[in-house]
Amino acid sequence: MNGYTVLVVEDEQGIAGFMTAILKANEYKTLLAKNGAEALMYATSYCPDLIILDLGLPDMDGLDIIRSIRTWSQTPIIVVSARTHERDKVEALDLGADDYVTKPFGSSELLARVRTAFRHSALRNTSSGGDISMFRTGELTVDFAKRRAYIGDTDVGLTQNEFRIVSLLARYAGRVLTYDYMITNIWGPNVKGDNRILRVHMANIRRKIEKNPGAPEYIFTEAGVGYRMTEGDRS
Ligand code: CA
């Protein structure tokens, strides 16, 4: 056992069984809540290390559960949602969920999301607050101090805003960041609601860092939600 307890909130028995079996096989302890009332009760009485939350529950809106838990706890929350509900995913992330998986999903995807969520919550709890000076994945290096990005040894020549976008994604590598979160972070709250500025920058960034901008290796588009940088090494 790795000592981590994961609370799974899911009313569909088949999916709940699938998730708890995968987690147990990977040495996580699991708790299962079949509705929102149980979820809130288990979250307060057992203080799990991670919560996997289905948004479509019989008794409560999953978004209200995030809202409630975030008033007192920073426990990572991974949302499980149907493919068609992009607006829910965005709202869940903006309410403080850490990530999401889309139904149907496989065991490797679920475990990758779980590991990423644990890594980020561990970073958040270190004395440095998760500060890193370098991020590397594949050929891409992001140097936070020099404010430059390299492919191999070559400086790709990002503009200041392009670098801010790349470094934000690198800091949260493996996690999806919503359009609104990124835009607010880079340009401030007043530009909100217009993703075009971000899309234009992303097209330029991809031309500079991706071998084939149409099939990116480093920064993925999460349709209707935002962007995700592939996982890498921090130092
Ligand atoms: Ca459900």
Side-chain angles (χ1 to χ4, degrees), residues 10-12 54 56-57 103:
E10 172 62 81
D11 59 312
E12 284 165 70
D54 176 31
L57 294 169
K103 286 181 185 175

